[in-house]
Amino acid sequence: MAVRREPEQLQALKELARNLRLDVLEMTTRVASGHVSSSYSCVEILTALYFGGVLRYRADQPHWPERDRFFLSKGHAAPIFYAVLARAGYFDRDELWGLRTVNRRAEGHPVQDKLPGIEMTSGSLGKGLSVALGHVLAGRLDRLDYRCYVLLGDGECQEGQIWEAAMAAAHFRADNLIAIVDYNKYQESGPISREMELEPFADKWRAFGWHVAEVDGHDIGALIETFKAMWQVKGQPSVVIAHTVKGRPVSFVEADYRFHGKALSPEQAEKAREEILCA
Amino acid sequence: MRLGEKAGLPPARQMREVFGDALLDLCRKNEKVVVLDGDLCSTTKTLRVREEFPERFFNIGIAESNMVSIAAGLASCGFIPFASSLAGFILANGYDQLRISVALAGLNVKIVGSHGGITLGKDGPTAMAIEDFALVGGLPTFTILVPSDPATMYKAVHAAAGHVGPVYLRSSREAMPHIYPMDDCPFQIGKANVVRQGRHLTIIGCGIMVAAALDAAAMLAEEGIEARVLDMHTLRPLDREAIVAAARETGAIVTAEEHLLHGGMGSNIARLVAETYPVPMRFVGLADTYTDSGEAEALLEKYGLTPMDIVEAAREVVAAKA
């Protein structure tokens, strides 16, 4: 389905992104746990994929064989992933309030099929590209033309398995595999450049045989265009390096990487809500 | 003396050869089966599948972590992936992936660990797997199969494909003598085979140690000790019924495995026996050690995995009954 990106539609997607941020805030504040800042850097990426006409899916048929696949490899962004799946119609929004709670289904990190729409278990980093490549190979045997999208964290790209899979995906000419890196420049302990440098990042992907695109990871229109441009790439996998801001748009979260893995206090959450509504 | 000779067991081909044939046969019968390799197909004998079904064979290269997660992806799409490498390599390099990508969701992935145990010998301890039962035992949802001869290998490969869920299958480089006729071998996952009847004790073996147990039973018979021998081809789920019956009916148990005693078959059987019908037990297996490189026979001798070691354990445990 083609999406006309007229100003009012983009406006609607921005409004949706704002509401998704509020969902995440409520989910994590209620349970006083969860990765808010890592979720906020990829809100627009997920909004573009699920609501911008990029992914082909049927929420009422999560195992539809011809669906495009989305794999959340940076599993700690589970809150925003669940919020997106709920708004996409995979399950009732009531599931969101069971985040990280015993006898509920919204696990701290996604577990495959625990909730409809979760394609893969994640939480130990580095698995997504490989699992997606398994789906790519399966699609060839089944003669299906679905695409596989994998959202990676930037720090996650320090895992050796990412580069095993990067080598293999190029070897298998997986041109229906599209990796997206949420490049928010921070990992748990601090700035990536200080803790374990990834640069020259785009060059690394190119050296492994990938087509590389870079984009402002908070510009929904640009993200949609970039993802669709990747459909034209033939004979090699693609990676979209999405430059993002961790914690966006909450000023005091953006300013302090130590918010990684932390929920906000009720007072902080109230302040964050105001900033989100004004952004 | 050749393993199995005392018990009158006929010699057989290498287990990895039998595995290669069984897997090829399975691929011919079931088009959903795909094979993943960590660049060891000529060693593990999956090469035959590569030659006959190139489109269903993927050499992932020397990258076992990647291989395990790719297998998870294929299984999620309805295929039945058999991912194979040396047992020590695929389990140790791919353990995180086995936990996260396979076990947690209970995916239909089959892991074949070749060169299990110490009998691969000359390549030495880095190529051996003496901890594979313990490693896979640490992964809920996995079924563990350990064939003891060509017939059980053939059956185990097909049973693994037929079972929905993760399976670990131990293969070996070496030959194990025929215990069953190729065309007449009972094999049901979770159901041990009684391969010799006896009333004074039960020897529970798996893999190559079933033949050793039968040799030992033949020696013990000459001393008037009648040993029951169980082929515990499934280490998980263990055959609770057969184990409790062994304890109740024979009053003493010796376990024998080509694996570390820590976390192996024997310790799990002991837990079950302790919970149900405690009887004296002895354990034949590797003490807390890695081994040298060397001839299989010399290693089995040095590290206490011979029929004679089982005989000595049996004498002790029978004496302990009184």
Side-chain angles (χ1 to χ4, degrees), chain A residues 14-228:
Chain A
K14 283 183 191 169
E15 182 61 29
L16 178 57
R18 180 178 293 131
N19 286 325
L20 287 165
R21 282 194 168 86
L22 294 176
D23 287 346
V24 168
L25 194 62
E26 182 161 359
M27 291 162 74
T28 54
T29 308
R30 278 194 194 196
V31 72
S33 181
H35 295 69
V36 178
S37 61
S38 307
S39 288
Y40 279 8
S41 60
C42 59
V43 173
E44 281 76 18
I45 293 169
L46 286 167
T47 302
L49 285 170
Y50 277 87
F51 306 108
V54 177
L55 277 177
R56 292 169 294 185
Y57 62 91
R58 295 176 180 169
D60 58 350
Q61 210 183 326
H63 292 284
W64 176 42
E66 290 163 53
R67 73 194 182 282
D68 288 334
R69 275 77 165 153
F70 171 75
F71 302 93
L72 182 72
S73 198
K74 51 169 284 187
H76 50 292
I80 182 61
F81 184 38
Y82 299 154
V84 164
L85 290 177
R87 286 190 184 262
Y90 280 92
F91 47 78
D92 195 278
R93 278 166 55 75
D94 184 55
E95 294 285 355
L96 301 181
W97 322 129
L99 181 71
R100 295 180 171 236
T101 302
V102 69
N103 294 327
R104 300 296 300 271
R105 301 195 289 174
E107 303 277 5
H109 294 74
V111 174
Q112 185 168 347
D113 286 328
K114 189 86 184 231
L115 280 166
I118 302 177
E119 297 275 6
M120 175 187 83
T121 306
S122 54
S124 171
L125 295 167
K127 316 284 175 286
L129 276 189
S130 307
V131 173
L133 187 52
H135 283 254
V136 165
L137 297 176
R140 283 185 193 173
L141 291 168
D142 284 333
R143 312 231 187 291
L144 296 174
D145 68 350
Y146 54 75
R147 296 188 183 88
C148 294
Y149 298 83
V150 184
L151 182 59
L152 304 170
D154 44 10
E156 180 179 14
C157 294
Q158 293 160 2
E159 287 279 6
Q161 188 181 356
I162 293 292
W163 302 101
E164 291 184 4
M167 191 185 297
H171 175 79
F172 288 113
R173 300 182 183 280
D175 52 17
N176 55 340
L177 175 61
I178 300 167
I180 306 149
V181 182
D182 178 2
Y183 198 5
N184 61 33
K185 319 293 186 297
Y186 283 91
Q187 55 192 109
E188 172 155 335
S189 306
I192 298 251
S193 57
R194 184 184 78 192
E195 303 303 330
M196 186 52 67
E197 180 62 284
L198 292 171
E199 293 294 340
F201 197 41
D203 288 346
K204 287 187 172 75
W205 289 99
R206 286 193 193 97
F208 273 74
W210 287 57
H211 175 83
V212 180
E214 302 202 43
V215 65
D216 174 349
H218 295 298
D219 183 337
I220 296 176
L223 283 163
I224 294 171
E225 274 176 34
T226 306
F227 293 144
K228 291 190 173 179

Side-chain angles (χ1 to χ4, degrees), chain B residues 309-321:
Chain B
D309 293 297
I310 299 175
V311 166
E312 281 163 16
R315 287 177 188 146
E316 266 185 48
V317 84
V318 168
K321 279 167 79 173

